[in-house]
Amino acid sequence: MKKSLILVLVLLAPLASLMANGEGEDGYTIEVSGSTTVYPLMELLGERYSELNPGIRINANGTGSSDGIKAANQGTSELGMASRNLKTEEKGFGLDELAIAFDGIAPVVHPDNPLKQLSLDQIQKIYTGQITDWSQLGGQAGAIAVVSREPGSGTRGAFEGIVGFKDLLVAGASEFDGNGGVKAAVASNPDAIGYLSLGYLDSSVHGVAVEGAEATVENVVNGSFLIARPLLVLYRGDDLSHQTQTFLDWVMGEEGQSIAATKWVPAN
Amino acid sequence: MGRKQRIDQFFKVIFTVISTFSVLALLAIILFVFIQGAIPFFTATAEAVHVIPFGISSFTLDGDAYTYSSLPRDAKYVELGESPGFHTLGFQHQDQEVSILLDVDLERPLPAHRVNVVAAAPGVVKYTEEYVYEVTYPGKIAGQIRGFYLAIPQQPTGFFSQFLLDTEWRPTYNKRYGIFTMVVATLFSTFGAILVGVPLALLTAVFLSEFLPPKVGGFVRGAVDLLAGIPSVVYGFFGLMVVVPLIKKLSGAASGNGLLAAMFILALMMLPTVISLAETSMRAVPQMYREGSLALGASKMQTAWRIVVPAAKSGIFAGAILGTSRAVGETMAVIMVAGNSPQIPRVFTDGIRTLTATIALEMGYAQGRHNRILFSVGIVLFLIILVLNGIVLALKSRMMEDA
């Protein structure tokens, strides 16, 4: 009897602490879901905001742009994240859009690859299958392993739209799940080329300059780096709680935008 | 009625209710998937052309005035009448009345011809993607664009011509939903895994049950059972970090992600299931079969292959079925190693996309018809598993008759 009582208590303890954490006096959780590209930024923003306002928790999930738009439309998340412009059918949902930052998309190769820069035309030819060998780009002979994102991905949509090959990806290109999947694939294959959001660039891959401009925040701001798109937050204006409205105001304010400026391009 | 019977009665009612509910819930899930998956083949995405304004707060359509805010909150569009004919769309642009003439006939064969837009200058008309027109006007603030989207309804997708036997999977702009490449890839990778995995598993099982001393055998058996419990993502990670680079190195292909890697990982993943079942059923073969065979002068090897394996046939088959089902349904590990290119593989290093991988990759991104088509892919997967199991069961019953 005593033993089972202790067991029950042990099992209940985490539950109790969970309840204590979650719902305080003015406790409020803002559910955010959507684009894996906006996700790291939302994480940073949420962390800082919760430090400033201990009662508010920002629960962000990286589930993909379309999912974020769907979630905001159906109300399963208060805020949706998207890294592409809304599609026709989605425009019909009547959601409010807020660009919280801008982001560049950088072509990336393996760190051992000597490739320094590409033109938009060359990128287009690589991704549509007209350039298939590194020797055609002045490198060592070897077939190019083209790495892309899954259809419907915001990063892919923006990349294809800006480079100019909407839905014309060469057959045989690998498609990976999320920015992380592309990074892992490129980091482990010296013959691969992929593309990543600026926020995901690190030393495991090597960013390639486009039309002579390095993939940096400054170059996206001054417009010389051409592959850029807005990072959107979507919501229903009439349903927004005042806590969430305050959070969005803070995001668009000085401190929020200075966080956005660390790896992305601030909207203001 | 005694106390015991009342308790029995009580539990009987509870069990009946619970089991009825779970059966109903299962049926409801299957029904939901089937209905969602069947919709694209029977209905158009909408009954009429949708006019979706953006950056325009008030406009007129055929003389009726609309304001953006008065449209329903989750349906910010106006439907054009179903009957073919001309419609006029009007709005205020830079203090000027603009009217756009639309010539609509949904019976025209090409989607691009179903709506003709005559835009007043300085509007720009673009056919941005299949079934979508965009009519834009530069806004008062430079760079701010306003205009209308015209979404043309997509007619029902042909089940064979545009889905099952079509080889083009370009679901976003081109609205092509051909899954033939994925069906082929699923079958190739599964059969490849069976060809590699089942013989290996059978050899291992024979070795474990017939040739290893019982103590060592028990230890190895435990290890094999442990392998069956490893999450698939771990196998996938192993494949991504070890198998894929190895295949790239050995074959010299641009990427090691592909059919071969998927086959290898799937074979590896079905091993524990097949070994475990085959070995259990071999150990269940009565000892006197072996003793009789040995007494007649057969060697240990002959006894194992000629006596024990045939006697344990049904268990071996059960293991193979379970292993196959695991291979067909496996998602995570395959996504990580297969490359996910929707194409028919010509060589073993070509990237492939399986049916499950498609659903998992695109579920978060799909919307509209694309989303429903993913349910249809689920139905196809369901049917493939049914057919596979049917074939195996038929084979099994035939072998039982022969024995």
Side-chain angles (χ1 to χ4, degrees), chain A residues 86-116:
Chain A
L86 268 64
K87 292 198 186 151
T88 326
E89 294 159 59
E90 294 162 344
K91 286 276 182 193
F93 294 161
L95 292 167
D96 290 296
E97 300 171 31
L98 180 69
I100 59 170
F102 289 84
D103 177 37
I105 306 171
V108 290
V109 293
H110 192 269
D112 292 348
N113 193 320
L115 186 72
K116 285 280 172 286

Side-chain angles (χ1 to χ4, degrees), chain B residues 185 189-190 192-193 243-244 247 256-269 327 330 333-335 337-339 348 350 352 354:
Chain B
S189 60
T190 307
V243 180
V244 169
I247 290 175
N257 290 90
L259 179 59
L260 192 61
M263 269 168 51
F264 185 82
I265 289 298
L266 286 178
L268 204 64
M269 289 183 71
E330 180 47 47
V334 174
I335 288 181
V337 301
F348 277 111
D350 268 356
I352 54 157
T354 62

Side-chain angles (χ1 to χ4, degrees), chain B residues 80-252:
Chain B
L80 279 187
E82 228 178 303
S83 52
F86 287 92
H87 301 270
T88 346
L89 198 56
F91 73 104
Q92 194 91 17
H93 177 63
Q94 295 180 344
D95 307 323
Q96 274 186 325
E97 282 296 332
V98 176
S99 78
I100 304 168
L101 194 62
L102 305 172
D103 164 25
V104 183
D105 183 359
L106 296 183
E107 301 294 316
R108 291 183 191 127
L110 280 179
H113 294 167
R114 286 178 195 154
V115 174
N116 286 322
V117 188
V118 187
V124 180
V125 184
K126 273 192 287 188
Y127 189 56
T128 50
E129 52 183 275
E130 281 284 288
Y131 301 100
V132 178
Y133 273 106
E134 199 183 282
V135 189
T136 50
Y137 287 78
K140 283 187 179 169
I141 307 163
Q144 198 194 354
I145 288 179
R146 49 212 302 259
F148 295 94
Y149 288 111
L150 305 170
I152 304 159
Q154 296 170 52
Q155 295 309 309
T157 306
F159 184 78
F160 290 104
S161 61
Q162 290 167 304
F163 180 63
L164 200 59
L165 301 179
D166 189 3
T167 54
E168 285 286 315
W169 177 261
R170 298 194 183 275
T172 47
Y173 293 98
N174 296 329
K175 315 263 193 284
R176 293 284 298 271
Y177 307 110
I179 61 160
F180 187 69
T181 55
M182 299 160 200
V183 175
V184 170
T186 302
L187 295 180
F188 274 21
S189 60
T190 307
F191 282 120
I194 294 173
L195 283 183
V196 180
V198 170
L200 261 181
L202 190 61
L203 288 172
T204 316
V206 169
F207 182 63
L208 277 181
S209 85
E210 303 302 313
F211 294 97
L212 269 188
K215 269 192 184 164
V216 187
F219 178 72
V220 177
R221 204 175 304 131
V224 169
D225 286 343
L226 204 67
L227 278 182
I230 293 179
S232 59
V233 66
V234 178
Y235 283 101
F237 193 63
F238 167 75
L240 190 66
M241 289 297 148
V242 180
V243 180
V244 169
L246 193 71
I247 290 175
K248 178 178 160 55
K249 212 171 173 184
L250 294 180
S251 71

Side-chain angles (χ1 to χ4, degrees), chain B residues 360-402:
Chain B
L361 277 176
E362 299 181 13
M363 214 58 194
Y365 294 100
Q367 41 94 36
R369 172 154 290 185
H370 184 188
N371 193 12
R372 292 249 160 76
I373 286 282
L374 293 182
F375 280 101
S376 320
V377 172
I379 295 176
V380 171
L381 197 62
F382 184 78
L383 295 180
I384 286 181
I385 290 181
L386 272 188
V387 169
L388 273 183
N389 283 2
I391 290 173
V392 176
L393 283 178
L395 271 179
K396 188 180 161 188
S397 65
R398 181 175 292 177
M399 290 188 74
M400 287 294 140
E401 279 166 23
D402 291 349

